[in-house]
Every structure is written in C-alpha cells, then in structure tokens.
Amino acid sequence: MTLRLSVVIIAKNEQARIKDCLESVHGWADEIVVLDDESTDDTRAIALKYTDTILTRHMDLEGRHRNFGASKAKNDWILILDCDERMTDGLKNEIASAINEGDPKIAAYWAPQINYLGDVPLNHGGWSSPHIRLYNKKYVKWSEAPYDVIHPGLKFSEGYKGGNLKAKTVHYSFRNVEDFIAKINRYSTLEATKWYLDGRKMSLGKAIWRTVDRFWRRFISKKGYKDGYYGFVAAVLSGFHELAAYSKYREIKEKGYYIK
C-alpha cells in the first residue's frame, strides 16, 4: 500500500542523476511531482517513465519555487528532494510512522544525511547536519523574502512546530572536486547577494575570521580529519566559501548589482 504523500523533486538538467532519485521513492509514495527548471537535456523524458506530473517553471526564488511545487501536489504531506538525494528504507519507515502516528502539532521534520564527495562518504566534519525533509503544506510555507536566495527559511502556522527524524538520506552532494568548486562558486554568489539584500554588515577581518573558523570547525572540532585527504579538501573549500562570498559581496556593493 502506497503512502499518502507527495514527493516533490526539484530538477534542472539532471539526466545523469534523476533516475536513481526517482527509483528511491517510486512505488512508495502515491504521487511524484517533478518540478523542472527548464531542462535542456533528457531529464523530462526520464521522469516521464515514473510520473505524469511534470511541471516546468523557471526558478527565481527557491522558496517561491518550492511553494509552487507543493501547491500543485494533491497531498498535504510533502517530501522535498533534490536529484542528488536518495531515500533509504529506514527513513521511509520513519516517515510513514510520522505521517500516520506522529504528534499532530509537528508540521515539519528534519532528517540527517550522508554526504558524498565523489564516492567518498563525509561521515565527519558536520556534513550530516539535519535538513528539512518532510512537511505539511497546510501549516508550513517556505519563505519568499527577496533576501532568501539560498536555503530559504520556513514559516509555521501558529501552534505548530518542527521535529526530528533519526534515519538519514543519502546525498551525493559533489560529483568530484571540480563539482565541489563549481558549487562553491555558485553558492558564494547567492550568499553575497543575500548579504547585500538584507543589509548585512561585513568586513574583510570578519570574512577572514569566518574562513578560518569554518575550516577549523569542519576539520578539527567536528573531526573532518577522520575522513582523510578528502575530509581536508572539503574543509578547505568550505572555509574558502566565506572568503569568496565576501569578495563578491564587496564587488556588489562597489558596482551596485546583484543576481536576480
């Protein structure tokens, strides 16, 4: 028996990864919605083998994009996935229990994840921090504030709260080091834009401190060194993100433009 749950999968040119993502939820949830950001490869053709509900929309703000996908789903409970994420049997069972037997005042659930750099799992360094995974769209919405251009927040209806799941998703975060660097480039641009739009005050000294602090926390405090060489690489690039974001933020302030 399938679960009364809508899986909303965010996609853009993901022909190499969307099949495995779809396979991990197909036959378990009673609806799969693919929200496609104008892909130009075979993403849609692959998705059509698993669902007839494929929506096309250009992503402007991530929160607005996610709210749109949820609004088109038939169920109130929404599972949000990216194409580089895979569900595990343990998490599926936990989600089924949360929906059918959980606290009625819990309207959203966070779950930890196993992140990968290539085929190397990053088991340490804080890479398994919980991410929002499941929510009830009747009581939870994503923020659509213009400064929430990356990792939008959630807005709960009064009287509702969040909870935590224990089982993990599998997250193939970075195909390789080149992909990691490309994502650092993209996300640091979005971070700089967010700082600019919400009037954040940043300085070079603060940026250097954040760079060193993030490396230290990833590699030393959270024991990223246990993941060997790639744990070190991940910590270095994570720290560099802060300096890159500051440099772009400074450029935006000086030249007066930002990414829309």
Side-chain angles (χ1 to χ4, degrees), residues 36 40 124 136 162 193 233 248:
D36 179 53
T40 56
H124 306 90
N136 190 316
T193 304
V233 169
K248 294 175 181 182

Side-chain angles (χ1 to χ4, degrees), residues 162-235:
N164 292 294
L165 303 172
K166 296 179 180 179
K168 297 180 179 181
T169 52
V170 175
H171 187 197
Y172 292 102
S173 324
F174 315 108
R175 295 182 179 93
N176 47 40
V177 173
E178 181 178 9
D179 183 47
F180 200 152
I181 293 171
K183 287 189 174 181
I184 290 293
N185 188 36
R186 173 61 177 162
Y187 286 125
S188 60
T189 298
L190 294 174
E191 190 76 18
T193 304
K194 180 177 180 177
W195 293 346
Y196 175 75
L197 290 176
D198 68 10
R200 186 82 58 90
K201 301 298 182 182
M202 294 293 294
S203 65
L204 177 58
K206 190 173 184 178
I208 292 173
W209 181 85
R210 288 169 64 103
T211 298
V212 174
D213 178 66
R214 180 176 277 205
F215 168 80
W216 181 267
R217 284 187 290 112
R218 290 285 193 198
F219 194 62
I220 304 298
S221 299
K222 297 182 179 180
K223 302 180 180 180
Y225 59 83
K226 289 189 174 182
D227 290 324
Y229 175 73
Y230 288 103
F232 172 73
V233 169

Side-chain angles (χ1 to χ4, degrees), residues 8-80:
V8 177
I9 297 175
I10 308 297
K12 183 178 179 65
N13 294 332
E14 289 284 3
Q15 63 179 18
R17 299 191 290 188
I18 193 170
K19 179 181 177 181
D20 288 343
C21 178
L22 289 162
E23 287 280 1
S24 76
V25 294
H26 186 247
W28 169 63
D30 70 350
E31 183 182 43
I32 298 174
V33 177
V34 174
L35 182 53
D36 179 53
D37 182 10
E38 302 177 343
S39 292
T40 56
D41 63 2
D42 289 334
T43 295
R44 291 174 61 85
I46 295 169
L48 278 169
K49 298 176 182 178
Y50 297 86
T51 179
D52 294 327
T53 310
I54 301 177
L55 311 172
T56 300
R57 182 183 184 277
H58 172 69
M59 185 190 288
D60 42 11
L61 291 176
E62 186 175 343
R64 185 180 298 158
H65 198 61
R66 293 185 177 195
N67 284 335
F68 174 82
S71 74
K72 300 300 181 181
K74 68 180 184 180
N75 295 306
D76 291 331
W77 282 104
I78 305 295
L79 174 72
I80 192 81

